[in-house]
Amino acid sequence: MEGTERENSTLPVDEYISHQRGMYESLHRKSLDNPEEFWNEHGNIVDWYSKWDRVLDDSNAPFYRWFLNGKMNVSYNALDRHVRSHRRNKAAYIWVGESGTEKIVTYHGLLKRVNAFAKALLDAGLKKGDRIAIYLPMIIEAPVAMLAAARIGVPFTLVFSGFGANSLAERIRDCGAKVIVTADGGNRAGKVIDLKKIVDEAVDQTSTVTEIIVVRNTGNPVDMVEGRDFWYDEVTKEQNAYVEPERMDSNDPLYILYTSGTTGKPKGVVHGNGGYSVWIANTLKWAFNPQEDDRWWCAADIGWVTGHSYIVFAPLILGLTSIMYEGAITYPEPDRMWDIIEKYGVNLLYTSPTAIRLLMRYGDAYPAKHDLSSLRVLGTVGEPINPAAWHWYFKTIGKSKCPIVDTYWQTETGGFIISPAIELGLGSLKPGSATFPLPGIDPVILDEQGNETPSNQKGFIAIRKPWPGMMISLNNDPERYKSVYFSKYPGKYFNGDYAMKDSDGYYWLLGRADEVMKVSGHRIGTIEIEDALVSFPEIAEAAVFSKPDEVKGEAIVAFVIPKHGVAHGRELTEKLKKGIRETMGPILIPDEIHYVHTVPKTRSGKIMRRVLKAVYTDQLPGDISTLENEASVNEIREAIETLRKEVGR
Ligand code: PRX
């Protein structure tokens, strides 16, 4: 992959320079110089029951509170207000199933479903502040459950349906979910995933769940436990129910989304109601400039923040029509995505570099079979996009007339933070650069000591000021929130990424600076997989790192030390892979497992993953002093020599 190659020339997309770039610049400046005035105006993108007293309360930093004492409800903003307008019968979702089935759900229809399910949640005994877990595939009931929970003030955690039973159980335990919403199965590449069975296994490891609500999706037979398990269609029988939306405080939690960090335990990122809604709605508008009749397709999974913010909340708050697709983008043929774009006239497409690289591999003949002329803007998210994929997306899919909106952000940031902004005047693009910070974002590139790096020099990206979409805390762990994000550079948000600002002021995101990998755009902690490997009785120690991969961006490599006397080979590898699939989920399965006698460690016992990666990917020799700050250069040299002998490099 040409991930590191950069182009310095800019690429103008003339048709889209609809405003002067100056508009962006003055708005960005205003947002930083006068945030009170800026957000007093932009906070009105959502409707409030009562307005805020103050835009920002930073008296208890870094626990920033936005739109202090403002009262609103996200489901009201996503539904009721549109149903009272010309959008009542507009499609909120055009849902497409893997087998080609299609469902159109209007704003009015969605509100009815949400009310019926909100009533079911109240009937289950839930009260404002209780928590639920949602473990659903890409079906309409997923946004329905999220909006119903938001309506009654019950924070939810939606767990990606590709996670296994242990991962699900850990999340249920951490958030104390009382109810779980799941389905009899999910469809993926022609196979049915038995979600209910995974939920049953997870619930056995937890103590808070009193009710499981099961959507009939695949018709897969499932075991139902009397008094605990209920069918979704039976609990939502009251089709004309109306549940008054709770008046939520701007800073009440809306949801908890677990994401990987540098320890084995995932972090429960908590997003609030008010600031989050304001941020995601504004950022979608600034970046993509969606029009009333557009069809927006965010082709992510609802289980990740991209799906939360830009399949569910932001497009609904803006009253857009979204495409939602349950299934694999290459099923039944590699032109599934192009087929959906043609069939439904998609105008704005938002997907990952991994998806682009995967589809690019199948060649130009597949997109050539389809009329893609409805496309106006192409977006990417989740990982750096390499120039080859950028150009293919731009030329072959966008016919050189659609700008590429490369959005940089994280679970913690709530929405885009660095991205081209079409509504604010798109300047010139540089393939592989996410361009400039959006209004409200004040980034800086720092070296290890906290000094600003000169242009064109790699450093760590930090953000100097809070913004409305940022998480409000980590669930059950405010100390970890402070130490992970605000201790490296006191007073600044540090997010674990390398970046560089070039001499024209463009930002280039250069990958994770910590023990986190981006595999097919999924964020995975090396330590999570190590913990899973050492939980097998055969394994003494494990070290996990990533290597570059042409399609997935990064692939997972595991070095494992089997216990004394354990026979290792293909059989053990299969056992480890199968076990990880079941407990953690398929996305965490290592692509390669190697058996070794030792892994390099520092004197304090930390595995030197960077050294492993460097040796394995032949990046050495170089400046090894930067590889591991805690280890002496001699230690590293010794470790490298031993490792080279082991892996024969
Ligand atoms: O390393 C950055 C990378 O994805 C990380 C955040 O992952 P997650 O919380 O799962 O959210 C993904 C969806 C927003 C970041 O720390 N990343 C995200 N977008 C980009 C990116 N790297 C480069 N370019 C991007 N556009």
Side-chain angles (χ1 to χ4, degrees):
M1 195 181 81
E2 304 151 63
T4 51
E5 154 206 332
R6 272 193 299 280
E7 292 175 21
N8 267 325
S9 59
T10 57
L11 192 87
V13 187
D14 295 329
E15 276 176 53
Y16 286 91
I17 307 181
S18 48
H19 309 264
Q20 294 301 311
R21 191 68 192 154
M23 180 177 165
Y24 157 76
E25 274 152 19
S26 69
L27 207 64
H28 187 248
R29 196 166 319 114
K30 180 175 167 187
S31 73
L32 300 185
D33 293 349
N34 196 345
E36 193 75 22
E37 189 185 321
F38 183 87
W39 291 112
N40 271 334
E41 193 184 313
H42 285 84
N44 291 320
I45 199 160
V46 296
D47 290 349
W48 298 78
Y49 296 118
S50 58
K51 284 276 165 74
W52 52 93
D53 302 333
R54 217 176 339 142
V55 159
L56 170 66
D57 173 10
D58 58 2
S59 58
N60 187 27
F63 299 95
Y64 299 101
R65 296 296 171 251
W66 285 88
F67 303 106
L68 199 70
N69 297 325
K71 302 278 184 279
M72 52 87 72
N73 184 286
V74 174
S75 107
Y76 174 86
N77 275 285
L79 301 167
D80 306 53
R81 67 168 178 167
H82 301 311
V83 170
R84 292 177 189 175
S85 78
H86 60 283
R87 298 191 180 119
R88 180 183 174 89
N89 295 322
K90 179 176 178 177
Y93 288 108
I94 299 172
W95 178 89
V96 184
E98 202 174 58
S99 63
T101 347
E102 159 193 310
K103 241 182 246 168
I104 295 181
V105 184
T106 64
Y107 274 90
H108 180 234
L110 191 60
L111 176 61
K112 285 184 73 162
R113 287 170 184 243
V114 168
N115 267 314
F117 194 57
K119 169 84 173 36
L121 293 178
L122 292 175
D123 290 346
L126 291 172
K127 295 181 303 301
K128 181 177 174 183
D130 285 339
R131 272 104 184 256
I132 66 165
I134 304 171
Y135 185 64
L136 284 173
M138 290 283 290
I139 56 177
I140 289 293
E141 287 77 3
V144 168
M146 296 159 88
L147 291 159
R151 195 167 187 88
I152 62 169
V154 163
F156 63 85
T157 188
L158 191 147
V159 181
F160 172 55
S161 62
F163 277 125
N166 289 10
S167 303
L168 176 60
E170 187 168 30
R171 286 156 174 77
I172 295 171
R173 269 197 303 271
D174 189 77
C175 81
K178 292 189 171 167
V179 169
I180 304 186
V181 191
T182 189
D184 55 0
N187 295 301
R188 193 83 193 176
K191 292 199 200 88
V192 172
I193 322 279
D194 194 344
L195 299 174
K196 174 65 168 53
K197 187 162 157 263
I198 298 171
V199 168
D200 288 343
E201 279 168 35
V203 168
D204 285 346
Q205 303 175 36
T206 62
S207 59
T208 51
V209 177
T210 53
E211 188 164 324
I212 302 175
I213 300 176
V214 188
V215 178
R216 288 184 222 264
N217 183 42
T218 56
N220 202 32
V222 295
D223 293 332
M224 298 290 277
V225 175
E226 179 78 35
R228 185 197 70 177
D229 301 353
F230 299 89
W231 290 106
Y232 179 94
D233 45 299
E234 284 167 17
V235 297
T236 53
K237 280 223 168 86
E238 214 175 309
Q239 294 292 312
N240 291 320
Y242 174 75
V243 174
E244 181 70 21
E246 278 284 340
R247 293 178 177 228
M248 302 300 289
D249 188 88
S250 173
N251 294 289
D252 280 338
L254 173 64
Y255 67 77
I256 302 159
L257 180 55
Y258 290 86
T259 187
S260 296
T262 52
T263 70
K265 190 175 176 292
K267 299 183 280 198
V269 169
V270 185
H271 279 295
N273 280 263
Y276 171 77
S277 303
V278 167
W279 184 252
I280 58 172
N282 275 299
T283 50
L284 180 56
K285 197 164 152 291
W286 290 331
F288 286 87
N289 194 22
Q291 303 298 305
E292 182 71 46
D293 293 328
D294 275 348
R295 289 184 168 181
W296 158 256
W297 185 12
C298 168
D301 193 284
I302 217 157
W304 309 111
V305 73
T306 310
H308 283 52
S309 296
Y310 298 110
I311 296 177
V312 183
F313 296 118
L316 293 176
I317 289 172
L318 294 180
L320 299 177
T321 297
S322 287
I323 306 294
M324 188 171 163
Y325 172 59
E326 183 199 11
I329 52 168
T330 48
Y331 188 87
E333 293 292 328
D335 62 345
R336 189 62 194 260
M337 205 156 184
W338 320 130
D339 184 50
I340 291 177
I341 291 168
E342 177 174 18
K343 186 159 180 203
Y344 298 101
V346 172
N347 308 100
L348 314 169
L349 174 67
Y350 186 43
T351 189
S352 66
T354 290
I356 298 162
R357 289 190 296 262
L358 176 71
L359 297 172
M360 187 168 107
R361 278 201 150 186
Y362 290 102
D364 294 358
Y366 283 107
K369 285 204 287 188
H370 297 276
D371 174 5
L372 304 178
S373 60
S374 59
L375 288 173
R376 201 174 74 244
V377 185
L378 300 173
T380 70
V381 57
E383 46 180 326
I385 179 161
N386 51 308
W390 196 102
H391 282 294
W392 186 79
Y393 200 30
F394 183 70
K395 291 188 190 127
T396 309
I397 305 309
K399 316 294 180 215
S400 302
K401 67 180 181 64
C402 306
I404 307 288
V405 174
D406 176 351
T407 62
Y408 165 67
W409 58 298
Q410 305 177 295
T411 306
E412 294 88 337
T413 68
F416 319 145
I417 53 170
I418 298 182
S419 166
I422 293 174
E423 194 197 34
L424 309 182
L426 183 77
S428 299
L429 300 172
K430 294 190 188 190
S433 162
T435 72
F436 304 106
L438 289 171
I441 300 297
D442 186 19
V444 62
I445 312 290
L446 301 173
D447 65 17
E448 195 63 54
Q449 286 70 42
N451 303 312
E452 198 166 339
T453 56
S455 314
N456 297 315
Q457 205 164 301
K458 181 174 170 179
F460 302 101
I461 185 163
I463 300 173
R464 287 182 280 214
K465 290 193 169 71
W467 65 98
M470 68 193 293
M471 74 197 126
I472 56 177
S473 191
L474 290 180
N475 191 49
N476 291 334
D477 215 346
E479 281 310 312
R480 193 174 175 201
Y481 166 79
K482 280 203 279 192
S483 67
V484 170
Y485 304 104
F486 295 93
S487 67
K488 187 172 170 80
Y489 303 119
K492 299 184 186 77
Y493 169 78
F494 166 66
N495 69 12
D497 280 321
Y498 286 126
M500 185 196 84
K501 188 172 154 179
D502 72 15
S503 32
D504 298 326
Y506 285 67
Y507 285 83
W508 298 82
L509 284 310
L510 304 174
R512 299 290 309 184
D514 54 12
E515 307 295 1
V516 171
M517 305 175 284
K518 290 294 301 198
V519 181
S520 300
H522 302 318
R523 177 167 159 182
I524 298 173
T526 50
I527 301 169
E528 278 172 82
I529 301 177
E530 288 166 5
D531 285 354
L533 286 166
V534 296
S535 70
F536 287 88
E538 294 88 348
I539 304 304
E541 279 198 82
V544 167
F545 58 96
S546 67
K547 64 167 202 176
D549 182 273
E550 282 214 357
V551 173
K552 295 164 33 158
E554 293 179 56
I556 308 171
V557 183
F559 276 33
V560 295
I561 308 179
K563 281 193 185 145
H564 193 67
V566 169
H568 52 82
R570 187 138 23 108
E571 218 169 288
L572 182 57
T573 302
E574 288 313 310
K575 182 176 175 194
L576 299 177
K577 288 189 173 180
K578 184 166 176 282
I580 291 183
R581 173 185 293 279
E582 281 162 12
T583 57
M584 310 286 292
I587 60 167
L588 286 105
I589 300 173
D591 297 272
E592 296 178 15
I593 297 182
H594 301 283
Y595 299 99
V596 290
H597 294 100
T598 171
V599 292
K601 286 194 191 153
T602 62
R603 253 193 296 266
S604 59
K606 271 185 78 180
I607 297 171
M608 292 189 277
R609 295 183 191 82
R610 273 162 209 268
V611 174
L612 278 167
K613 178 173 180 159
V615 172
Y616 194 69
T617 56
D618 289 330
Q619 285 165 10
L620 291 178
D623 179 12
I624 53 173
S625 62
T626 60
L627 282 173
E628 184 62 69
N629 297 319
E630 287 186 30
S632 74
V633 175
N634 278 345
E635 257 186 292
I636 293 174
R637 277 191 210 288
E638 272 171 38
I640 290 170
E641 284 317 310
T642 319
L643 189 71
R644 282 216 162 114
K645 280 184 206 136
E646 287 248 353
V647 298
R649 291 197 181 217

